[in-house]
Amino acid sequence: MSHSLEPSRLMVALHALPSVLLQSAFFVVPLCMTIALSFQETQYYQVQWVWSLTTWTEIFTTYYYWKILFNTVLMSLACVGLCAMIGFPIAYALVTRFQKWQATIKILLVFAFLTDAVLKTFGWVVFLDQTGPANFVLNFLGLPDLPDWVIYSRVSVLFGMVYTLLPFSIFTIYLSVDMIDKNLLRAAYDCGASKFRAFYEVTLPLCKNGLMAGALLVFVLSLGSFLEPKVLGGGKNPMAAELIRQTFETRINWPLGSALTIVVISITVITILLASRLLDLGQGRKK
Amino acid sequence: MNRKFEARLINAGLVCSVILVLVFFYIPIFTLIMFSFKEGRILNLPFEGWSLRWYQQLFSNGEVGKAAVHSFVVAVASTLISTVIGLGAAQSFVRFSFRGKTLFQIVAMAPLVFPQLLLGVVLLLWFSVLGNTFDFSNNLFTAIMGHCVYLVPFTTIIIAVQAASFDPTLEQAAQDFGATPWEVFREVTFPVLWPGVFSASIFAFLLSWGNFYISYSLTGTERTLPTFVFSGMALGSTPLYPALATITFVVGLLLIVFAEGIRRRSLAKTMASPKE
């Protein structure tokens, strides 16, 4: 390694330690404490530091919690599917078309992504409202109002989730499509492959990892959706994050809230482990 | 002939889908901008007339001002902290090899794949326990720490991308000329990494400024703009909130365009420099 500075221990520590300290003190340790808290009891809205399994028995025997968790996973899966289906053509088009406008479109996407989530959700509420622009435009075109099942329903929640998380899917897929060596495609054409054939045999397999990473990111983040079900769903179909907030805020049951948090995090971790296993397998086969 | 038609159809489909997605992304944004100029106080159509009175109210509203100051303080502090920490983490990601690096990378990136609301909740519990022990309650400081945990993975990735294209011989040369490590960092490393550092800080600032999920759990009684808007939405709102949104949009867009400009200028510079 003649071209690289040999880092002294001090140098490494100086660079890596702040981040290690921050993430241990405010991420790893709090997480461990949450796990510990889920094994405590509560009485009169106060945590009793007595080790017990009461909370966990309650969780595993209450149908209501599992219904909400199941609903959350289902909504997240639907969101993943929609994001991948919309995100892929967009990312592909961004790389292969729009040479001139690419920078502008990217800025527009980044801006939409970085804008305050509360404001964007609020914008949708105003837009979809009974006397809002959506119905105004529909009526103007001679069409009837939006049906009831569109706003304050699962449809609008899913809509909002896709809106919030689509950029993640577009960005990750974009990176993987952008990294494809164009010579591979040229080689495929030289061998007489049609455009479709080249797409299916070269492009699609090569951006599989990007698709998977995007899907994983969207799934994990949508498990924690809170604004969409609360604001766009009208509170009729609560999802896990809302249930957890309520447990802390209105029921003031810390052990139960902690345990529910752990359940959602476990789903996240298991999904990530499974996905990394799958990705490794795919790479192993190629070699 | 048929093939050409097919190719054209695909082309048109792809272009249209991008345009549709852009429209989709900007519907709520333009809806709010439009409603901020509404005369009446209810957010519906048709308009009674156009006016700027909600902007006037916005600037004379003490609550909004206070929330804006809070948001600004939190955003600036967490941007500074998370950019500095991210710079160190990115350097160790890309350029150093050391024992336990994989574990370090996993922990450093974990908050990125952690649902934000749960991060807020977990930290809320932690700060409550700490607060009981050391006698403090949630305030802007706890919010800043929470934002930093969320932002550091973002700043790390953005700076790491810049650091990956770094040519270490530059540092070597400076060292050979007798520069101290600090001088090497100040005169060589930092200027080269600057575009990445700058976009990372803009990114961090905007993410923190617009952050709802973590602030919601951690700001205690001090509200930031997103939590202020969230509680206002529930009460039945006026065009005051769209006016606030419009100002946020304009500032945000300007910052992003500015950051992109700096990035492109530095890119042009590095492309041009070998010819000089």
Side-chain angles (χ1 to χ4, degrees), chain B residues 3-276:
Chain B
R3 268 218 168 153
K4 223 175 197 174
F5 178 70
E6 234 171 45
R8 222 179 252 172
L9 204 67
I10 293 172
N11 210 9
L14 285 175
V15 171
C16 280
S17 64
V18 171
I19 293 171
L20 279 180
V21 162
L22 281 178
V23 170
F24 173 58
F25 276 130
Y26 280 86
I27 282 178
I29 293 174
F30 280 113
T31 304
L32 289 181
I33 293 177
M34 187 175 87
F35 275 97
S36 72
F37 298 107
K38 191 178 191 262
E39 170 98 55
R41 55 178 305 117
I42 299 168
L43 293 171
N44 64 359
L45 288 174
F47 275 30
E48 307 85 357
W50 302 80
S51 95
L52 284 173
R53 74 179 178 118
W54 297 106
Y55 286 90
Q56 252 170 5
Q57 289 223 356
L58 190 66
F59 287 112
S60 56
N61 188 319
E63 288 279 301
V64 175
K66 232 167 73 184
V69 170
H70 289 162
S71 277
F72 189 74
V73 169
V74 171
V76 168
S78 47
T79 300
L80 284 175
I81 299 172
S82 61
T83 309
V84 171
I85 294 181
L87 177 62
Q91 288 271 69
S92 14
F93 259 53
V94 179
R95 315 207 23 229
F96 302 152
S97 54
F98 50 94
R99 247 190 8 195
K101 188 173 168 180
T102 319
L103 181 69
F104 168 66
Q105 282 175 323
I106 291 174
V107 174
M109 283 298 128
L112 198 62
V113 286
F114 204 84
Q116 264 190 72
L117 185 98
L118 299 187
L119 181 62
V121 162
V122 166
L123 279 172
L124 173 67
L125 293 177
W126 179 232
F127 283 128
S128 309
V129 170
L130 283 185
N132 276 341
T133 319
F134 297 106
D135 196 34
F136 67 89
S137 59
N138 281 352
N139 50 33
L140 293 184
F141 176 74
T142 52
I144 291 170
M145 285 343 279
H147 280 212
C148 284
V149 173
Y150 168 64
L151 293 174
V152 164
F154 282 100
T155 56
T156 305
I157 287 184
I158 297 172
I159 301 174
V161 169
Q162 187 82 31
S165 61
F166 190 89
D167 181 5
T169 44
L170 290 173
E171 284 181 347
Q172 192 72 56
Q175 213 177 31
D176 290 347
F177 279 111
T180 63
W182 169 241
E183 278 170 342
V184 173
F185 178 78
R186 203 186 55 199
E187 301 291 334
V188 180
T189 319
F190 191 74
V192 175
L193 293 182
W194 168 244
V197 173
F198 186 74
S199 7
S201 60
I202 296 281
F203 222 82
F205 182 85
L206 289 173
L207 279 177
S208 167
W209 176 264
N211 184 284
F212 165 73
Y213 283 102
I214 294 171
S215 303
Y216 186 47
S217 291
L218 295 182
T219 44
T221 50
E222 326 249 34
R223 273 189 280 184
T224 60
L225 282 177
T227 51
F228 174 78
V229 173
F230 180 75
S231 53
M233 259 187 331
L235 290 173
S237 32
T238 62
L240 187 76
Y241 297 97
L244 179 60
T246 306
I247 293 177
T248 311
F249 297 153
V250 171
V251 175
L253 191 59
L254 285 178
L255 278 176
I256 292 170
V257 170
F258 183 51
E260 177 68 11
I262 291 232
R263 195 184 69 86
R264 255 194 254 174
R265 226 183 54 190
S266 81
L267 213 67
K269 236 194 231 161
T270 47
M271 298 280 230
S273 56
K275 283 178 206 154
E276 285 170 6

Side-chain angles (χ1 to χ4, degrees), chain A residues 29 47 91 98 109 120 123 127 157 170-171 198 225 246:
Chain A
V29 174
V47 180
F98 297 110
L109 288 177
K120 287 185 291 193
F127 182 78
V157 174
I170 294 180
F171 292 146
S225 298
Q246 267 173 16

